Amino acid sequence: MSCTYAVIAEMRGNQLRQVTFEALDAVQQMASSDDRIIVLAIGYGLQEAVLSLSIPGIAHVYCAEDERYKYYDSEAYFSALRAFVEQESPEVVLFGHTAMGRDLAPMLAAHLRTGQISDVISISQDTDGFAFRRPVYAGKAFETRRFTTQSNPWIITIRPNNFPAFTPENGTLPTHATVSSPAVVALPAPAPSLRTVVRDVVTKMSGSIDLAEAKIIVSGGRGVKSAGGFKPLEQLALVLNGAVGASRGACDAGYCDYALQIGQTGKVVTPEIYFACGISGAIQHLAGMSQSRVIIAINIDPEAPIFQVADYGIVGDLFEVVPLLTTEFRKM
Ligand code: FAD
């Protein structure tokens, strides 16, 4: 039986967020050649997004475009999403496990009285069908979940930076033989009587790279000792084209903005390389970064718990070690 996979695209400004292409990779792993792959983009100014979705194998790109979608708003976006799902009746709906996906996906699952599997980091298949692996207990354990037969559609959110971003150069959607390029369909914007409207959004990002999508993160803790102490970390991040993050200790001390906080009550990140500089490695911090591919810890205390999760540890003063690393990486 063929099935429809719907990816809910996510925008940053006029461009698609990388997690949209990571969701397409998840679809690539699950779909077969007679399935249908569709994408919904909600926003204002979707031309660039539509262009980057002209991928063989995607049957339709649905565009819900309206000035009211310029900024993310639960009520407005959900009304567009609901109209799309009711019209297309997909069997599988995928979101990024981002602020938007974490908001919309459960609203949709509750509305449709169906099941949701959140924060998926990998997908496997055996004789019982697909199984979805996800971290639990702040990354200290993993569980594997399956949908039951009563659950339709399947609602899935995928953790950013865990699936490779799909491109036609690095993969082929199973449906590419039947669909050479997507048809673009404008969806009429439903006009809900919104109870609140977003007037303005002030974004705080670490440089120009979003922490959630950064491949390299240089994070500082209370060990940086002052706001100025972040300067060497910023320089290392700049050389490595990475983003700067922080522990809550550094945020609470006023050394940096809370937008940089990584951990249980901050952002969850899974970069390829995570530098922990002057961070002790409290469990609440590990909850946000322990899934990083390579962890490099720099700490003056050889007993600091961060060394237990680090792949590489440097016992030393970050104010000496970080500038040395910057100098060496600059030579490469
Ligand atoms: P510290 O624990 O003070 O560690 C500083 C480290 O710097 C030390 O290991 C020290 O040896 C080292 N150091 C000092 N000087 C230097 C130097 N010159 N060179 C190298 N190393 C040096 N924390 C988070 O990070 N994120 C969260 O989301 C979060 N959520 C929380 C939620 C709850 C409910 C609670 C109770 C706590 C939460 N915390 C969170 C706080 C957490 O428990 C820790 O207090 C915090 O992570 C400590 O930050 P830190 O490692 O920067 O500071």
Side-chain angles (χ1 to χ4, degrees):
M1 199 184 73
S2 73
C3 107
T4 297
Y5 288 83
V7 169
I8 311 307
E10 193 161 337
M11 307 288 298
R12 174 170 307 110
N14 290 335
Q15 291 181 342
L16 286 170
R17 284 189 64 167
Q18 182 179 293
V19 73
T20 305
F21 298 99
E22 294 169 2
L24 276 172
D25 182 85
V27 170
Q28 182 193 21
Q29 293 184 34
M30 289 191 284
S32 53
S33 56
D34 55 350
D35 288 334
R36 182 170 166 253
I37 301 171
I38 58 179
V39 178
L40 168 67
I42 308 172
Y44 187 55
L46 295 174
Q47 300 87 331
E48 256 187 75
V50 168
L51 266 182
S52 47
L53 286 167
S54 43
I55 295 172
I58 298 179
H60 290 91
V61 174
Y62 291 89
C63 296
E65 188 160 19
D66 192 274
E67 201 169 355
R68 283 170 305 166
Y69 302 145
K70 186 171 176 189
Y71 301 121
Y72 178 70
D73 177 272
S74 303
E75 243 185 320
Y77 272 51
F78 184 66
S79 66
L81 172 66
R82 194 176 55 194
F84 162 75
V85 170
E86 282 167 2
Q87 179 181 310
E88 296 304 314
S89 304
E91 277 79 17
V92 183
V93 186
L94 293 103
F95 300 79
H97 193 72
T98 57
M100 181 182 110
R102 293 202 307 259
D103 195 30
L104 285 181
M107 284 164 79
L108 184 65
H111 174 71
L112 298 174
R113 295 181 171 275
T114 188
Q116 175 179 333
I117 300 184
S118 306
D119 208 10
V120 170
I121 58 168
S122 66
I123 302 170
S124 56
Q125 189 178 17
D126 56 25
T127 45
D128 292 331
F130 290 109
F132 302 88
R133 190 171 148 90
R134 58 188 296 271
V136 289
Y137 303 123
K140 281 202 284 187
F142 296 89
E143 66 171 21
T144 302
R145 269 182 189 254
R146 294 176 194 275
F147 287 100
T148 64
T149 45
Q150 292 87 11
S151 188
N152 192 4
W154 292 0
I155 312 280
I156 299 167
T157 67
I158 63 152
R159 183 181 278 214
N161 268 346
N162 277 268
F163 292 82
F166 177 86
T167 65
E169 289 74 43
N170 70 8
T172 311
L173 290 176
T175 46
H176 77 288
T178 43
V179 191
S180 57
S181 66
V184 179
V185 183
L187 278 183
S193 46
L194 299 178
R195 281 163 283 203
T196 59
V197 287
V198 181
R199 287 270 174 243
D200 194 16
V201 171
V202 180
T203 52
K204 283 183 179 165
M205 285 186 13
S206 54
S208 57
I209 300 170
D210 183 359
L211 265 180
E213 289 180 356
K215 298 261 177 272
I216 299 180
I217 295 177
V218 183
S219 264
R222 231 185 314 247
V224 302
K225 295 187 176 71
S226 67
F230 265 95
K231 277 274 166 312
L233 278 57
E234 286 162 10
Q235 281 160 3
L236 179 58
L238 192 69
V239 167
L240 296 173
N241 198 26
V244 174
S247 70
R248 179 156 145 189
C251 300
D252 283 346
Y255 304 160
C256 62
D257 196 279
Y258 280 101
L260 304 193
Q261 185 184 320
I262 289 167
Q264 187 181 315
T265 43
K267 293 194 169 77
V268 175
V269 296
T270 41
E272 281 169 15
I273 307 178
Y274 187 89
F275 289 89
C277 311
I279 294 177
S280 59
I283 185 70
Q284 295 90 351
H285 186 75
L286 301 187
M289 46 63 77
S290 63
Q291 298 306 309
S292 305
R293 195 155 297 161
V294 175
I295 298 171
I296 302 172
I298 303 161
N299 201 302
I300 40 167
D301 176 7
E303 303 296 326
I306 191 74
F307 288 127
Q308 287 166 23
V309 293
D311 299 281
Y312 299 94
I314 304 173
V315 179
D317 185 339
L318 71 93
F319 295 105
E320 289 170 18
V321 176
V322 173
L324 275 176
L325 289 175
T326 308
T327 309
E328 290 306 312
F329 282 122
R330 207 173 262 139
K331 289 181 195 160
M332 291 168 83

